[in-house]
Amino acid sequence: MAEIIQERIEDRLPELEQLERIGLFSHAEIKAIIKKASDLEYKIQRRALFKEDFINYVQYEINLLELIQRRRTRIGYSFKKDEIENSIVHRVQGVFRRASAKWKDDVQLWLSYIVFCKKWATKAQLSKVFSAMLAIHSNKPALWIMAAKWEMEDRLSSESARQLFLRALRFHPECPKLYQEYFRMELMHTEKLRKEKEEFEKAKMDVGNLDYPEEILKGELARIIYKNSVNIIKGAEFHVSLLTIAQLFDFAKDLQREIYDEADASELLFSLQALHTDDPLTWDYVARRELEIESQPGGEQPATKQARALEVGRKEERCCAVYEEAVTTLPTEAMWKCYITFCLERFTKKTSSQFLREKRLERTMMAFRKAHELRLLPEFQYKQWIELLLHHNFLKEALEVAVAGTESFRDSVTMWQMKLQVLIDSESPDVAVLFEEAFAHLKAQICLPLWISWAEWSEGAKSQEDTEAIFKKALSAVKGADSVTLKDKYLDWAYRSGGYKKARAVFKSLQESRPFSVDFFRKIIQFEKEQESCKMVNLREYYERALREFGSVDSDLWMDYIKEELNHPLGRPENCGQIYWRAMKMLQGESAEAFVAKHAMHQAGHL
């Protein structure tokens, strides 16, 4: 094994000598690369192989390639790429081939291989990778789609993409997504041919010898896919998805009419319902189609703003008439969700017409009320309703809806938050009591958003002592990862309300109460730096405390510590070497590589 490793290291020497000769790396850096490469080679050549070792090897080489690119850009040197980058790329491909041969079933490994090839390798090489992957993972439609899209969009090969889709459909004859993407691909291909022909004709070139069959230019291949697919895939969602795709292409008007079989919405409703009864998506699609149907004969547009607003209003009324019929025929939560979503979309659409704004608001409120009366309003739409009422200052109705929402969804933090928001906006004296009531009803592990809301409300409405008491109470109730956010909020509040002295006191009180976020320490560091007499001794204390928690994973902390020692008036530049070696001992894997690269760039910037 030692001979193999030695041989592979010797194979690297020409590229490493070039890197040193052209000044991209120093002699010391080349020695460090050889040492690291030897360690990585040993791990992938030993008898017991581990996938993580191959991944680490590849990641190291990618980091090296990116560092070479950055240094080339910095010094403006673009030669010798065949001897340097191409050599590294071929080596990484070899490692990927070995890893994918041993761990064939690991899709993520194959995808990493593809991502690498897209950035660093040739299109022919990537095509081979796709073929090898699909030979093993033919049972995954998403991979076939990815390969076909690449052939179509990157290699510009419609024929290769078509062959991949046809092969995929032999494996997955009932996969809706494959049919949708194949349909889209053929329409894109047709659009491309039409544009090519148009450009040739503009240039007055003879296209007689070129292959532009009239059937293809009309989208005949896409029509065949549509016909075949709807015979196999049943359901409104698939049927309408093909309509939606076809509507993206202006030349496909005839195909669109064929899909929904006419242009009249009432007939469309009949044809779709014949295929898809009791499906909310069918009603939703047909109702929205009313917006596209012109009311004026011959498609004439209204001349004035007022006339245009009335025309839009009539279209929206026709949409709502379909929705009203829908919720009567199909009185389900899903159907009401479609109706209310449409009303909200129209309401949020900008208009200068007061008539339209008032009509849309009235229609939206009515839809919410009817769904609520039928107990068919989901939690998230209660939230939307309350927000809409608060926005228009309808506080009394907002409170009624919030009460109804918390009764229907007693275990929902969101509903309690909305009820509390209504009371806060109403300046009710019962806010604190309701917070306590909410905590009594809800499980402790989901109450973090309520604690934060209580503290934020208290900051504006109560004394500092009351707010701090809430933070302390919250920290005693919220444990684990959720407490991280609370500590950050507590520290921010302390600085806002009591300045640096208060923030430092809070930091001291919490500094042993794990877990923390990196931001917790970065905040106190920033607060210190904002003081007129920024003390280096305090900064060192904060950095050291932060590195105890995150020194093994956060290379930026180490770099910032070094920069602080270099740039602060009371810093000690002689400490930087010691900090560097401590970082090298603590950081692992990619973090160590990132630190070395950042440190090298920082040094280069000071040369």
Side-chain angles (χ1 to χ4, degrees), residues 214-399:
E214 194 63 30
E215 294 82 4
I216 302 296
L217 294 176
K218 288 181 178 178
E220 181 64 19
L221 289 176
R223 192 186 74 83
I224 292 169
I225 296 166
Y226 160 69
K227 288 288 190 183
N228 291 338
S229 62
V230 294
N231 287 331
I232 297 169
I233 312 294
K234 306 298 181 183
E237 185 173 357
F238 177 73
H239 203 87
V240 173
S241 70
L242 296 185
L243 283 169
T244 305
I245 293 169
Q247 286 174 334
L248 299 173
F249 299 88
D250 292 337
F251 69 87
K253 298 295 184 185
D254 290 341
L255 178 58
Q256 292 168 33
R257 277 193 292 273
E258 185 172 351
I259 292 174
Y260 48 72
D261 207 22
E262 50 10 70
D264 181 73
S266 61
E267 292 179 18
L268 174 61
L269 174 58
F270 176 79
S271 62
L272 276 179
Q273 282 180 321
L275 285 170
H276 319 295
T277 58
D278 297 334
D279 192 318
L281 190 61
T282 299
W283 292 97
D284 189 47
Y285 179 79
V286 173
R288 289 172 181 272
R289 281 280 300 158
E290 291 288 349
L291 290 174
E292 302 171 24
I293 298 171
E294 300 296 340
S295 298
Q296 300 293 330
E300 296 175 8
Q301 295 298 316
T304 66
K305 283 186 178 181
Q306 185 178 4
R308 284 195 292 271
L310 288 170
E311 170 67 4
V312 171
R314 281 192 290 269
K315 288 182 178 181
E316 291 178 358
E317 286 293 342
R318 293 202 304 267
C319 292
C320 289
V322 177
Y323 278 117
E324 289 291 343
E325 183 183 350
V327 294
T328 303
T329 306
L330 193 63
T332 63
E333 184 178 295
M335 191 65 254
W336 276 103
K337 175 186 171 186
C338 292
Y339 187 8
I340 292 170
T341 300
F342 170 79
C343 290
L344 284 170
E345 285 174 7
R346 301 308 298 176
F347 176 72
T348 54
K349 198 170 182 65
K350 289 185 178 179
T351 177
S352 58
S353 168
Q354 183 69 20
F355 161 76
L356 268 183
R357 283 198 300 271
E358 290 175 357
K359 198 69 180 172
R360 287 169 176 174
L361 179 60
E362 177 188 345
R363 189 184 298 128
T364 306
M365 291 298 187
M366 187 61 69
F368 273 124
R369 289 174 190 135
K370 286 181 179 179
H372 165 63
E373 288 167 7
L374 294 169
R375 298 185 177 276
L376 293 173
L377 200 61
E379 178 189 332
F380 81 96
Q381 287 191 321
Y382 269 108
K383 180 174 182 289
Q384 291 176 326
W385 190 8
I386 296 167
E387 287 172 342
L388 185 62
L389 291 165
L390 288 176
H391 180 73
H392 289 86
N393 210 31
F394 300 152
L395 297 178
K396 183 179 178 182
E397 187 176 357
L399 183 56

Side-chain angles (χ1 to χ4, degrees), residues 11 83-84 94 108 119 137 199 249 297 307 351 367 373 381 399 441 448 522 588:
D11 289 342
E83 294 93 328
I84 299 172
Q108 191 57 50
K119 183 169 183 180
H137 294 285
E199 290 299 320
F249 299 88
T351 177
E373 288 167 7
Q381 287 191 321
L399 183 56
H441 278 93
L448 176 63
R522 289 201 175 277
Q588 301 294 323

Side-chain angles (χ1 to χ4, degrees), residues 42 86 121 140 149-150 252 271 368 443 482:
Y42 171 77
N86 288 358
K140 296 180 174 61
K149 279 189 172 182
W150 180 78
S271 62
F368 273 124
K443 295 177 182 177
D482 283 348

